[in-house]
Amino acid sequence: MTTRRNVIVHALAATTLTLMTPLGTAAAPRGDGPAPRGDGPATPTGPDPRGGGPVVTGTDDEKLVLEVTAANRVVVRLPRAEVGQGITTAVAMLLAEELDARLDDVEVPLAEARTDGGNQYTGGSSSVRTLYEPVRQLAAEARARLVTAAARQWQVPAGTLRTQDTMVIAPDGRKATFGSLTAAAAAVTHPEVPSTPKPAAAHRIVGRPAGRIDARDLVTGAAQYAGDLLVAGARPAVVARPPALGGSVATADVSAARALPGVLAVVQVPSGVAVVAETFHHAFRARDALRITWQPGPMAALTDEGLRDRLRAALPPLGPPPPGSVQVEGEFEFAFVSHAPMEVLTVVADVRAHRAELWLASQTPGDAVASVASAVGLPERAVRLTVVRAGGSFGRHLTNEAAVEAALISKAAARPVKLMWSRNDDIRHGGMRPATCHRIRASLAAGRVAALVHDVVSADELSLPLPTGAWRSVDSGMSRTAEEVITDEVAAALGKDPVAYRLATVTGTGLRAVLSKVADAGRWGRAMPAGWAQGVAVHEEYDSQVACLAEIDARDPRAPRVTAVV
C-alpha cells in the first residue's frame, strides 16, 4: 500500500533535483508500519517513481531539504510543526514565489525528528521569522540551477530564460517543466544566473491572499492526525490516573479489568495504570474496572484559596509613591487555565529491544526523542519520531509527556500502542498556564502618569510541583489585561477619552494605526442605550500590533453580554 509516509521516505532514493541542508536520522527506514515484533525494521521495497536525492548541502541551522520531483512537484520537508497556524502554507508561498512555481505544485510535508541538531522548535511565533530567509535562499538556488540546466539543454544564454508556472520558458516559446529538468539540474554546480532572492517589490504571491494548501484535506477529513494513523499492530491504550496531581499507585487490583473482553494488557507506569485493548471502548471500560488505591500527591492539601493567599503574600510591597501624586491602584488574579486544544493528545509508539518508533505531534521533536530514549533505556540514535500535524496546540505540544508515557506502555506491554489522553486527562493532568497575581499602581501628577509600578507573582515562582507551560500568548495576555484596565482608570482620572489618551501615549506608528482603525471601524464614542458600553485595548508583541474594541450589554450586571467585537 502506498501512503504519504512511504512516498516521502522513498522520494529520497532516486536522482532528481534536491537542495538540502541535510535532514538526518540514524534510525532505519520503514514502510507503512512496524514490522512483526522483533529487532529487524521494515524497509522500503523500492524507489518511488517521483524520484528524489540530495544535491546541495547548506550550512544554516534549519537543515532544509528542497526537492523537485520528476512529476514536477516541489517538496520541502518542514522542520516545524503544523498545528493549524498555517506554517506549511506560508512556506509553500515562499517557495512558489522564489521558484515562480504554481502554489498547487508545492508540497510541504513535516520533517521527522532529527538527531543531528538543527532548529526544529515551533514556538514563540517564530516560524516565519526564522524560515523566511533560508526558504527563499534555497528556492532561489533551485531556480538558478533549473534555469542553467535548461540553458545548457537548449544551448542558449541562461540570462535569456524566464520561469513561470513551474516551468522554464525560452524567448522562442520553448517550455520545460521543472520536473523534466531535475536530473540535469542535479548536476549543476555553478549556476549561470544569480541565485539571489527577489526583492519584496517583485513579489506576486507573498503578501497577497492565498488559500491554504491543506484546505481540501482539512474539510474532507483526509488530513492525518496521530489518531488516524493505522500502524501495524498498534492497539488503543488509556491510563487510569491519580485523582490528585503527583499522586501514585498504592495498590492495584487489575483482575476484573483483565477479564473483560477485548483487553490485551494491563501494565503499571509511573503515571498510573495503563490498559491496552482492541478498541478504545474496550480500553475505557477496562480502565473503569480497575480497583486502585492512590497515594496522595504533594498538592493534595492545597486549596484554591490557599494558593491565592500564597500568591498575594509573595507580592512585594509597592513602596512610597512620588510626593504629591494621586494613586490609581488595582490588584488582579488569573487562575490556572488548561491548554485544551481541539485534538486530545494521541501518540503511536512501538518500542522494541533495540529501537523505538513514535508518531505524534510535537513542537519540540528533538526533546521528545531525548526524553523517550532516556525513559526506555535506548540511545537517541535508536529512536525514530515521525512528526504529524496537530489539531491545535497553543503551546500544548511543547512538552512531550504523552510520548514518554506511550513509549513506556509499549515497552511494558511488549507491543505497539496508540495512547490517547481523554479530555478529562488533559485538563486534570496536563500542563497549565500558571496562575498569577498582579498589583499595579499608577501615580498621577501634573496631568500625566509620573510613575508606574506593576508587580507580578506567578505560581511557577512558588516552586510548587505543578505541570505548567506557555499557554496562548504566555504571560503577556494576563499582564496586558491588567495594564489595559488600569489605563482606562487612569484616563478616567485624568478626564481623558480612553482612545484619545492611548493615541497620545502609545509609541510607534503601528499601534496608533491599528488603534485609529479599530476606533473608526467600531464607531467609537457613538451614543449608546443605558446599560450598554464600549471598551478598547491595544497590545504589541512579536513585532505585531493589535487593537480590539468590544461592545457589551450590561443591563443585567450579573450577566453582561458581549454584542460586538472589532
Side-chain angles (χ1 to χ4, degrees), residues 21-26 58-65 79-80 111-121 364-367 369-370 380-381:
T21 57
L23 175 63
T25 176
T59 58
D60 59 35
D61 287 340
E62 306 307 330
K63 299 184 181 294
L64 294 170
V65 175
R80 297 292 186 277
E112 291 188 358
R114 294 195 291 241
T115 57
D116 61 347
N119 183 11
Q120 280 192 281
Y121 171 77
T364 54
D367 291 347
V369 168
E380 291 184 24
R381 66 179 181 275

Side-chain angles (χ1 to χ4, degrees), residues 530-545:
W532 292 65
Q534 293 178 314
V536 70
V538 295
H539 184 37
E540 182 172 30
E541 186 172 13
Y542 298 130
D543 298 324
S544 295
Q545 298 83 33

Side-chain angles (χ1 to χ4, degrees), residues 197-492:
K198 297 177 183 178
H203 286 171
R204 299 178 300 102
I205 298 173
V206 171
R208 290 172 172 76
R212 289 185 62 127
I213 64 172
D214 54 0
R216 182 177 296 276
D217 285 348
L218 291 171
V219 300
T220 61
Q224 292 284 292
Y225 301 87
D228 299 316
L229 300 181
L230 299 177
V231 174
R235 292 294 179 263
V238 298
V239 176
R241 306 177 190 281
L245 286 169
S248 58
V249 175
T251 64
D253 180 356
V254 303
S255 56
R258 280 202 172 115
L260 290 174
V263 174
L264 301 173
V266 180
V267 297
Q268 188 167 330
V269 290
S271 53
V273 179
V275 175
V276 184
E278 292 290 351
T279 69
F280 279 112
H281 170 75
H282 290 106
F284 279 116
R285 186 181 175 204
R287 187 192 67 174
D288 293 342
L290 294 168
R291 297 293 175 257
I292 305 173
T293 57
W294 301 96
Q295 296 282 5
M299 299 285 293
L302 183 62
T303 64
D304 288 352
E305 188 56 42
L307 178 62
R308 285 194 289 269
D309 288 344
R310 291 180 64 172
L311 285 170
R312 292 191 204 101
L315 279 171
L318 287 173
S325 60
V326 175
Q327 313 312 312
V328 175
E329 298 181 355
E331 282 197 8
F332 303 84
E333 295 176 359
F334 296 88
F336 288 100
V337 181
S338 172
H339 291 71
M342 184 179 295
E343 178 197 16
V344 294
L345 297 179
T346 307
V347 178
V348 180
D350 182 12
V351 177
R352 310 186 186 193
H354 302 297
R355 67 181 184 88
E357 290 190 83
L358 293 95
W359 294 258
L360 69 147
S362 176
Q363 293 172 251
T364 54
D367 291 347
V369 168
S371 298
V372 167
S374 175
V376 300
L378 288 173
E380 291 184 24
R381 66 179 181 275
V383 178
R384 185 172 194 174
L385 191 157
T386 297
V387 180
V388 299
R389 67 165 57 241
S393 180
F394 316 111
R396 181 64 185 96
H397 294 286
L398 287 166
T399 58
N400 299 288
E401 63 269 37
V404 171
E405 189 175 64
L408 290 171
I409 295 169
S410 176
K411 181 178 180 179
R415 64 180 309 126
V417 300
K418 180 186 287 186
L419 170 69
M420 182 174 71
W421 285 40
S422 69
R423 178 68 66 202
N424 186 58
D425 288 340
D426 197 26
I427 290 177
R428 292 176 65 95
H429 295 273
M432 302 169 287
R433 184 188 71 183
T436 58
C437 187
H438 302 243
R439 182 177 291 147
I440 304 179
R441 183 183 68 198
S443 300
L444 311 183
R448 65 182 184 86
V449 176
L452 177 69
V453 178
H454 182 173
D455 290 323
V456 185
V457 171
S458 166
D460 282 346
E461 299 170 65
L462 301 182
S463 298
L464 299 173
L466 290 167
T468 57
W471 184 97
R472 306 182 191 221
S473 289
V474 293
D475 299 331
S476 65
M478 298 172 283
S479 295
R480 286 301 298 153
T481 296
E483 290 168 0
E484 285 295 276
V485 171
I486 290 295
T487 297
D488 279 342
E489 296 189 6
V490 166

Side-chain angles (χ1 to χ4, degrees), residues 74-161:
V74 177
V75 183
V76 163
R77 296 157 185 81
L78 183 67
R80 297 292 186 277
E82 174 61 75
V83 299
Q85 83 280 39
I87 185 59
T88 48
T89 299
V91 168
M93 292 171 69
L94 291 171
L95 293 166
E97 183 70 74
E98 294 300 334
L99 284 164
D100 293 320
R102 294 176 300 194
L103 192 58
D104 288 345
D105 291 335
V106 180
E107 299 176 20
V108 187
L110 303 184
E112 291 188 358
R114 294 195 291 241
T115 57
D116 61 347
N119 183 11
Q120 280 192 281
Y121 171 77
T122 307
S125 298
S126 64
S127 291
V128 170
R129 286 184 284 134
T130 55
L131 291 171
Y132 184 76
E133 293 298 341
V135 169
R136 294 172 69 228
Q137 184 58 57
L138 204 68
E141 177 72 16
R143 178 187 176 277
R145 289 167 179 257
L146 290 159
V147 168
T148 300
R152 293 175 181 175
Q153 178 176 307
W154 294 331
Q155 296 185 342
V156 299
T160 65
L161 305 181

